[in-house]
Amino acid sequence: MSASTGLLASHELGNLPLSCGRTIAAAQLTYLQIGQANADRSNLVLVPTSYGARPEDLAWLAGPVLDPEHWCIVIAGMFGNGASSSPSHGAMGLAEQGWVVSHRDNVAAQYRLLREVFGIEKLPLIYGWSMGAQQAYQWAVDHPELVERICCVGGTARTSPHNRLFCLSLRQALTADRHWNGSGFDGPPSQGLLTYALIYASWAASQPFFRSISEPVELHVEQQWLPHYQRHDPRDLIAMLDTWLAHDVAGGGDLAATLAGIRACTAVVALSHDLYFPADDLAADANAIAGAELHVITSELGHRAGNPHSSPAEQQQLSRIVENLLQQPSHV
């Protein structure tokens, strides 16, 4: 990758125990660094990846949302995304074999990255969209003394029952394919991936968005959505779904009480037409965090309004929210 877009690297973590009881042998976390850390390491922004994203997929944030001349932006790939340790590497299995990576595991690995590579003592900002927002919440819960600010875009602190149904439908689409053998696939799950893409597209974009396209929706999904998932090993898609399904910063306990322990200045960003994470769910999280501000981005892009790599209007809204958050004094 060219210097103009950042430095793509992998941090070796050794044998990494997971909360599920399994251990990733020779674990690695892939990350993209954009911008330079200052002398006292006080300008680092962590961006955990979203579902299916690799670090370079989120490099667009540098400039439109986060200033790379001022901030050292570290985009960290979560386990299962095909860049960091994943089933496709042979390093992990799936839930059928007792393998479930939690966001607590992702945060623990990212914590080591930031300590061992960057030597950070405080994190001025963690910015995350979707599953990245889930990880930002987990960071603020696990390391309240370290995280100064979090910006959680289109994501919640616990996977809701309705959101769980969505994830289960995607998982079922893949494992119902004739090539599924109980632990992987004996051949390309072409039908399963097409069904998966149809389900995913129907939730990730909004009703107004689909009314705006000229081609048949089936063709739109096949041309615009399916290739994004075909680039992944389907086992990796399942592993990330299992992480999403397991997400709960309270670990089954009192969510409001857990969120009340967050000390970070918090911006919660809802997306007006998001079918995964409706504004009411995000408002409930914000209400449980002292001083948290709830913002709503108005956009017909649906959930994808939180990742507007090609849409300046939504980029500008996100930029203003982040700028305002960074002006808030740290409570840490």
Side-chain angles (χ1 to χ4, degrees):
M1 183 164 293
S2 69
S4 63
T5 54
L7 173 66
L8 187 65
S10 182
H11 184 52
E12 305 301 323
L13 298 163
N15 295 335
L16 186 72
L18 301 176
S19 54
C20 67
R22 299 284 187 169
T23 297
I24 301 178
Q28 61 179 22
L29 190 156
T30 299
Y31 65 97
L32 177 66
Q33 177 187 344
I34 304 174
Q36 296 300 314
N38 57 19
D40 62 1
R41 300 295 194 267
S42 62
N43 70 329
L44 192 141
V45 173
L46 176 67
V47 180
T49 54
S50 52
Y51 183 84
R54 292 164 184 163
E56 55 269 36
D57 296 330
L58 300 180
W60 72 267
L61 287 164
V65 177
L66 299 166
D67 181 4
E69 297 299 320
H70 182 75
W71 300 103
C72 175
I73 304 162
V74 177
I75 306 173
M78 66 178 171
F79 293 127
N81 75 339
S84 297
S85 292
S86 303
S88 59
H89 298 184
M92 295 162 47
L94 300 176
E96 283 79 0
Q97 295 83 47
W99 288 84
V100 177
V101 175
S102 72
H103 279 319
R104 183 152 281 140
D105 299 321
N106 281 314
V107 167
Q110 292 162 19
Y111 177 86
R112 284 189 53 190
L113 167 71
L114 298 182
R115 288 281 187 170
E116 295 168 11
V117 175
F118 296 95
I120 62 98
E121 298 297 331
K122 300 284 185 183
L123 265 172
L125 174 65
I126 301 177
Y127 175 97
W129 167 64
S130 197
M131 285 187 81
Q134 295 174 353
Q135 292 167 78
Y137 278 123
Q138 191 72 61
W139 259 101
V141 167
D142 289 356
H143 299 285
E145 78 294 344
L146 182 66
V147 181
E148 296 184 321
R149 300 169 191 85
I150 57 173
C151 185
C152 300
V153 182
T156 53
R158 170 187 281 167
T159 297
S160 71
H162 190 257
N163 198 210
R164 181 177 176 81
L165 282 175
F166 163 71
C167 293
L168 289 172
S169 71
L170 292 175
R171 204 182 197 285
Q172 181 68 20
L174 292 173
T175 59
D177 188 273
R178 65 188 181 90
H179 291 296
W180 171 250
N181 61 24
S183 61
F185 296 89
D186 295 326
S190 301
Q191 185 58 54
L193 275 170
L194 178 58
T195 304
Y196 171 103
L198 288 166
I199 296 169
Y200 213 113
S202 70
W203 284 88
S206 71
Q207 292 95 333
F209 171 81
F210 280 110
R211 284 196 293 267
S212 73
I213 65 174
S214 58
E215 69 269 23
V217 292
E218 300 91 336
L219 181 62
H220 176 78
V221 170
E222 185 175 347
Q223 293 180 343
Q224 303 297 324
W225 294 77
L226 183 59
H228 178 73
Y229 308 119
Q230 287 174 323
R231 70 176 184 156
H232 288 281
D233 186 303
R235 294 171 298 168
D236 294 350
L237 295 174
I238 292 173
M240 288 183 286
L241 285 173
D242 289 336
T243 300
W244 190 336
L245 285 163
H247 170 59
D248 180 359
V249 298
D254 187 327
L255 180 60
T258 299
L259 294 177
I262 291 178
R263 295 163 57 187
C265 295
T266 302
V268 177
V269 185
L271 311 167
S272 64
H273 288 65
D274 194 339
L275 301 177
Y276 297 159
F277 303 103
D280 286 350
D281 288 354
L282 274 70
D285 286 343
N287 288 337
I289 301 171
E293 290 193 29
L294 176 68
H295 306 266
V296 180
I297 289 180
T298 301
S299 171
E300 293 185 354
L301 291 179
H303 183 60
R304 297 181 306 156
N307 186 42
H309 51 77
S310 304
S311 186
E314 288 82 1
Q315 290 175 6
Q316 290 166 11
Q317 293 181 72
L318 285 171
S319 179
R320 286 193 295 269
I321 292 167
V322 170
E323 183 179 358
N324 179 68
L325 178 62
L326 286 169
Q327 292 173 353
Q328 304 305 310
S330 171
H331 302 156
V332 177

